[in-house]
Amino acid sequence: MASELNERRIENFAIETGESKDFDDDGRVKRTGTLMTASAHIITAVIGSGVLSLAWAIAQLRWIGGVLALLIFSLITLFASRLLANIYRYPEPNAGTRNYTYMQAVQNYLGGIKYKFCGVALYVNLFGTSIGYTITTALAIGAIEKAICFHEHGKEAKCEASSSEISMMVFGIIQILLSQIPDFGELSALSVIAAIMSFTYSFIGIGLSVSRIAGGVHPKTSLSGVPIGADLTIQHKVWRCFQALGNIAFAYSYSLVFIDIQDTLKSSPPENKVMMKASAIGVAVTTLFYMLCGILGYVAFGNNTPGNLLTGFYEGPLWLVNLANACIAVHLVGAYQVYAQPLYRKVEDLSKKWWPESDFVVKDYPIWVPFLGTYNLNLFRSVWRTFFVAVTTTLSITFPFFNDVVGLIGALVFWPLTVYFPIEMHITQKKIRKSWGKWFGLKLVSGVCLIVSILAATGSITGIAKELKTYRPFMSI
């Protein structure tokens, strides 16, 4: 009897302080995320279309430069991730209120003009990544069609994929349906499936590269990378090297959804400790795959490495090549949602704040869905998310430049979101003085990364400008 009374007292106390068996300390439904689900989210976010361009990037940067770039970007990403993990709660890593989004963290720690700058950088890149994933999906589907054609008519046949616009529109329709998932916390199953897909096509890419090498195909590689010639001037080679840096940066860009992932974790053990472990697992696993895909892909294709690795394996087993490209498409279905959900939530939260009396914005309509249970339909959420997918799909159809778009997005997201803001928030949180050596070291890292981002963006913009000279609107990839 005494033990039951004590349990009731403890439960009542928990409810009074905002905690209970069903709710966390902030009054929200209890989070259920674990090290496994966080790692799956990270792998889903990181191993995306970026892995497909790494062999091409190594071909541009030379052997030593390409491998070093991969290692350096992975270390910077891991370093920044550890800083971000401690930013989730304010003002202390293990105490205080939660920051539900990257933007909220910047607002609490930095505020002012930096908060506004972060908003522009964050949501432009979430928007851009959605476009990049739509383009990549169309490339994967097109590669399946071309592989079937080559196997039927031979390697010398002039095989072209059918309209990529149709593939993008189908992808858009699927995303409209999945975008009705209310929030990030309900994406765990989708992320696990997407993570499995990413492992599958990465392994297949590695296997096909090894098979091509073992089969006696030894294309020319060199320490100086793609040679200068009639098709490549010194100027264009320099721009390509800068663009390659952007592609590698894009391959590691997940900081913009980092805090959203951390906000799915259980409060015990401490979220920052679990997230550091998840980041270490995610970055280590992805770097291993990146090294294998990049290096083996370059050995397999040499200086003629395609911009999208898996589009070059038309001579491999048909079923395996098609399976790899199908896995890419399925993976990007989930990855799109991982990146789009934070943007969805931001717009919806602002709308509820601006129009709290509008039924169109705030009211939910319970609808019974067979096999799924009750779904709360929100009219504004449905209309806004459908509009977002329609816009990203249209822009993807209009500007289908894979490597250039990927490089530009990577350049834009790398310095501000992966390096600058995590370092600035860490300095503020730890109250690091300007005169200290640690402050100077952090600022030096930030400055060097800024220069790299500027060079990468310049290379990608130059590539887009070159493509536009022969560009026809709404052309197929």
Side-chain angles (χ1 to χ4, degrees), residues 101-179:
T101 64
Y102 195 108
M103 280 282 290
Q104 188 176 359
V106 173
Q107 183 179 34
N108 285 332
Y109 280 99
L110 303 176
I113 191 66
K114 292 181 180 180
Y115 169 68
K116 295 178 181 179
F117 171 52
C118 175
V120 173
L122 178 62
Y123 294 113
V124 165
N125 280 284
L126 287 172
F127 182 75
T129 300
S130 300
I131 295 173
Y133 282 175
T134 304
I135 295 172
T136 310
T137 302
L139 281 171
I141 295 173
I144 293 174
E145 296 181 49
K146 292 179 72 173
I148 294 173
C149 175
F150 280 124
H151 276 79
E152 290 180 351
H153 304 289
K155 296 180 182 179
E156 304 302 323
K158 293 183 178 180
C159 294
E160 297 292 338
S162 61
S163 175
S164 58
E165 293 90 336
I166 295 176
S167 300
M168 293 185 192
M169 285 189 281
V170 171
F171 182 79
I173 292 171
I174 294 172
Q175 291 304 332
I176 287 174
L177 296 175
L178 291 177
S179 291

Side-chain angles (χ1 to χ4, degrees), residues 141-345:
I141 295 173
I144 293 174
E145 296 181 49
K146 292 179 72 173
I148 294 173
C149 175
F150 280 124
H151 276 79
E152 290 180 351
H153 304 289
K155 296 180 182 179
E156 304 302 323
K158 293 183 178 180
C159 294
E160 297 292 338
S162 61
S163 175
S164 58
E165 293 90 336
I166 295 176
S167 300
M168 293 185 192
M169 285 189 281
V170 171
F171 182 79
I173 292 171
I174 294 172
Q175 291 304 332
I176 287 174
L177 296 175
L178 291 177
S179 291
Q180 306 313 311
I181 297 174
D183 56 54
F184 203 99
E186 298 182 37
L187 293 178
S188 295
L190 191 61
S191 282
V192 170
I193 293 172
I196 293 172
M197 294 297 103
S198 67
F199 274 115
T200 302
Y201 70 70
S202 295
F203 272 122
I204 292 174
I206 293 169
L208 289 173
S209 295
V210 171
S211 176
R212 183 180 172 89
I213 297 167
V217 178
H218 301 293
K220 184 179 180 181
T221 62
S222 63
L223 290 175
S224 60
V226 178
I228 296 170
D231 298 329
L232 184 66
T233 65
I234 294 177
Q235 183 181 9
H236 283 143
K237 182 175 176 63
V238 172
W239 294 134
R240 278 192 179 186
C241 288
F242 293 158
Q243 182 184 339
L245 291 175
N247 284 17
I248 295 175
F250 178 80
Y252 281 104
S253 62
Y254 78 103
S255 57
L256 59 172
V257 294
F258 186 95
I259 292 180
D260 295 87
I261 294 173
Q262 191 168 352
D263 191 46
T264 66
L265 293 174
K266 298 176 182 178
S267 55
S268 180
E271 303 95 347
N272 61 330
K273 303 298 182 184
V274 175
M275 199 62 183
M276 285 182 186
K277 292 179 181 179
S279 298
I281 293 171
V283 173
V285 170
T286 53
T287 300
L288 174 62
F289 277 94
Y290 285 178
M291 284 291 183
L292 290 173
C293 286
I295 293 173
L296 293 175
Y298 181 41
V299 172
F301 290 99
N303 294 328
N304 293 319
T305 300
N308 183 328
L309 179 62
L310 286 175
T311 60
F313 291 110
Y314 297 121
E315 74 281 1
L318 178 62
W319 69 271
L320 193 60
V321 173
N322 287 348
L323 174 62
N325 284 294
C327 287
I328 292 173
V330 174
H331 171 260
L332 294 181
V333 166
Y336 184 104
Q337 287 299 313
V338 169
Y339 279 90
Q341 283 288 342
L343 182 54
Y344 291 160
R345 182 165 70 175

Side-chain angles (χ1 to χ4, degrees), residues 379-434:
L379 295 179
F380 175 79
R381 181 176 66 215
S382 298
V383 172
W384 141 242
R385 296 187 180 192
T386 300
F387 173 76
F388 174 85
V389 175
V391 170
T392 57
T393 303
T394 302
L395 289 175
S396 301
I397 293 172
T398 309
F399 302 103
F401 309 137
F402 175 71
N403 285 99
D404 301 311
V405 170
V406 165
L408 182 59
I409 296 170
L412 293 176
V413 72
F414 175 65
W415 177 72
L417 300 179
T418 302
V419 180
Y420 175 74
F421 285 116
I423 285 178
E424 291 298 309
M425 288 189 285
H426 176 71
I427 290 174
T428 301
Q429 184 186 59
K430 299 300 181 181
K431 298 180 175 62
I432 301 174
R433 298 179 182 178
K434 291 185 178 180

Side-chain angles (χ1 to χ4, degrees), residues 37-47 254 258 261 275 278-279 282-283:
T37 60
S39 300
H41 281 313
I42 291 172
I43 293 171
T44 299
V46 180
I47 301 184
Y254 78 103
F258 186 95
I261 294 173
M275 199 62 183
S279 298
V283 173

